[in-house]
Amino acid sequence: SQTIHQWPATLVQPVGSPLSLECTVEGTSNPNLYWYRQAAGRGLQLLFYSVGIGQISSEVPQNLSASRPQDRQFILSSKKLLLSDSGFYLCAWTGSGKNGYTFGSGTRLTVV
Amino acid sequence: DAKTTQPPSMDCAEGRAANLPCNHSTISGNEYVYWYRQIHSQGPQYIIHGLKNNETNEMASLIITEDRKSSTLILPHATLRDTAVYYCIVMVLVLTNAGKSTFGDGTTLTVKP
């Protein structure tokens, strides 16, 4: 069965520090991968998506970047975090199945 | 991708049916209607989806109007555990492209005892 792993679950980072969030998918090949961010009490904002290794599309210009070094690995990064980067980050994938998105459990990032 | 409109909040009595509406007036012919729910501090979970026919599974029923411009998610016997934010989105999934969708603020359903 397909599973998606996202870590860490929570993270507190100082302003100006770097960030690396990792997401991996198991049990499928060539998934479409996504990073979403959710502000408190709000919906999901699509940040990046990828249809293949090394292929990244950015939806919102910002302080973040994404990379896909392997087929089932998606990484969200920042060189210098801002206070406004705080939020709930969700990784997701879609594939050949018809159930649409499968989301990870999320990372709650607090920039202090 | 077409966008959706949902009421921000709804209440429902435990044991009663919860009917959550969604408007998607600009939906394209090849876009599906999907429903997800998100319990606090967790990732959204798939509930059900449909193209034009009504659908039912073990979790819920989905009623799509004939013109496909709106739909209703029905939780037939709501329980306290159904308290969550419910998202309605529309999207087309093609294997060689990334279907990407806009999640609005959803509907916060509160089931009350």
Side-chain angles (χ1 to χ4, degrees):
Chain A
S1 62
Q2 300 98 347
T3 56
I4 180 169
H5 301 282
Q6 188 180 343
W7 66 92
T10 60
L11 192 59
V12 179
Q13 292 284 97
V15 169
S17 64
L19 172 74
S20 181
L21 302 181
E22 188 166 343
C23 172
T24 59
V25 180
E26 296 179 358
T28 187
S29 59
N30 197 31
N32 297 325
L33 297 172
Y34 309 80
W35 279 111
Y36 281 88
R37 178 170 61 194
Q38 186 175 35
R42 302 303 303 275
L44 280 64
Q45 178 188 35
L46 180 62
L47 302 176
F48 301 95
Y49 69 94
S50 171
V51 299
I53 296 174
Q55 301 179 62
I56 309 295
S57 296
S58 174
E59 289 292 300
V60 181
Q62 59 215 323
N63 186 42
L64 302 170
S65 62
S67 62
R68 184 169 178 175
Q70 301 180 43
D71 180 46
R72 290 170 289 176
Q73 184 184 30
F74 206 23
I75 298 172
L76 183 69
S77 303
S78 174
K79 293 182 179 179
K80 291 185 178 181
L81 284 168
L82 307 172
L83 288 174
S84 57
D85 292 323
S86 293
F88 191 50
Y89 289 82
L90 287 158
C91 179
W93 72 275
T94 61
S96 57
K98 291 187 175 180
N99 285 1
Y101 292 90
T102 299
F103 286 88
S105 54
T107 295
R108 185 160 304 282
L109 171 66
T110 304
V111 182
V112 296
Chain B
D1 296 316
K3 294 188 177 181
T4 61
T5 304
Q6 299 177 253
S9 63
M10 293 183 64
D11 291 341
C12 178
E14 188 178 18
R16 304 297 294 269
N19 298 289
L20 290 83
C22 179
N23 288 321
H24 31 80
S25 59
T26 60
I27 191 170
S28 300
N30 60 349
E31 286 183 315
Y32 288 75
V33 179
Y34 279 80
W35 282 84
Y36 294 83
R37 75 177 182 186
Q38 184 178 27
I39 298 171
H40 182 63
S41 293
Q42 297 182 21
Q45 294 180 313
Y46 167 84
I47 300 174
I48 198 169
H49 75 282
L51 184 62
K52 55 182 178 181
N53 297 319
N54 298 337
E55 301 287 345
T56 296
N57 63 21
E58 65 278 4
M59 294 181 64
S61 295
L62 173 61
I63 308 297
I64 302 174
T65 57
E66 191 169 348
D67 62 7
R68 302 207 328 120
K69 292 184 177 182
S70 65
S71 61
T72 301
L73 178 74
I74 301 173
L75 308 178
H77 305 285
T79 70
L80 298 179
R81 289 178 296 178
D82 291 323
T83 293
V85 179
Y86 288 78
Y87 295 100
C88 165
I89 66 170
V90 293
M91 63 179 173
V92 56
L93 284 178
V94 178
L95 283 178
T96 57
N97 293 300
K100 53 185 178 72
S101 293
T102 300
F103 286 76
D105 291 341
T107 295
T108 298
L109 174 68
T110 302
V111 180
K112 298 184 176 181

